[in-house]
Amino acid sequence: MDSTASDRPADARDRDDEGRARSARPRDGLGRPLPYGADGVARQPEGVVRAPDETVAEAQRLLDEGKPFHAHEVFEDAWKSGPEDERQLWRGMAQLAVGLTHAARGNGTGGARLLRRGAGAVTEWAASDAGRERPYGVDLGSVAGWARELARDVADGASVDAGARAPRLRG
C-alpha cells in the first residue's frame, strides 16, 4: 500500500524503539482505529507507573469522558506494574473498562462477557482477604453490581453511551 492511500509515510513503522509493535494510527474515544492523518483523541501513554490512587482518579476521569478504552490502558499499567497480590484486582478493573468499551461499540455479547468476567475477578479478589472490599476507596461491591446490571442491559446487542453509563468507582 502506498503512502497516498493511507497518509502513512512509506518508511514509517508502527514499532517502538525496542521494536515492539505499537500502532501509530489515531484512535477515537472508544479506541477504534481511524485512518492515518485523521484527528483522533490523545492516546494514553503506555507503561506509566502511577500510585494506586492516581490510577483510580485517572481511570475515573477517562470513564467520565466516555473513554473506557483509554481507562482500560490505565488499569492495564497498574496490572502490569503493581504488586503481585493486586494483579487480579487491576486486571478485573481493566476487563470492566473493556467490557464498557465493547458495549459502547455495539458488541453487546462481548461486552457482557467481559463485564461479567471483570465483576467476578474483582469480587473474587475482594473475598480473598478481609478488608479488601474498598481498595483505594473503590467500592468493589458497587462496581461489580454496576457491571452485572450493564451486562444484562447490553447482552441483546444494544449499544450504550459510555460516558452516561460509566461507573462511579468510589461510590
Side-chain angles (χ1 to χ4, degrees):
M1 176 181 242
D2 66 27
S3 65
T4 58
S6 69
D7 283 334
R8 178 178 173 205
D11 61 347
R13 295 183 63 203
D14 286 354
R15 305 244 175 228
D16 66 14
D17 292 338
E18 286 82 39
R20 290 184 302 256
R22 298 281 189 237
S23 178
R25 287 178 67 178
R27 294 186 178 265
D28 70 6
L30 293 175
R32 292 176 289 220
L34 299 171
Y36 286 99
D39 289 332
V41 301
R43 304 272 306 260
Q44 280 300 119
E46 293 183 45
V48 176
V49 178
R50 299 173 183 84
D53 284 324
E54 292 174 298
T55 293
V56 173
E58 179 66 3
Q60 185 69 70
R61 181 185 70 77
L62 292 163
L63 289 165
D64 291 345
E65 291 177 3
K67 299 176 183 173
F69 176 83
H70 303 277
H72 133 268
E73 292 181 335
V74 170
F75 287 132
E76 188 174 271
D77 285 341
W79 160 23
K80 292 179 177 180
S81 68
E84 182 67 35
D85 69 332
E86 292 184 1
R87 293 217 170 142
Q88 182 180 6
L89 166 67
W90 299 119
R91 186 180 75 207
M93 296 298 289
Q95 289 170 330
L96 294 173
V98 172
L100 178 55
T101 300
H102 281 283
R105 290 177 177 175
N107 176 5
T109 301
R113 184 177 301 121
L114 281 161
L115 287 161
R116 287 191 296 268
R117 186 180 305 152
V122 299
T123 300
E124 182 181 315
W125 182 86
S128 69
D129 195 4
R132 289 170 69 154
E133 298 86 18
R134 292 187 66 90
Y136 312 109
V138 177
D139 183 345
L140 293 180
S142 292
V143 170
W146 161 85
R148 290 184 180 108
E149 179 181 332
L150 184 58
R152 283 190 299 273
D153 291 350
V154 302
D156 64 358
S159 65
V160 298
D161 178 312
R165 293 300 299 267
R168 299 302 320 151
L169 301 177
R170 291 185 168 144

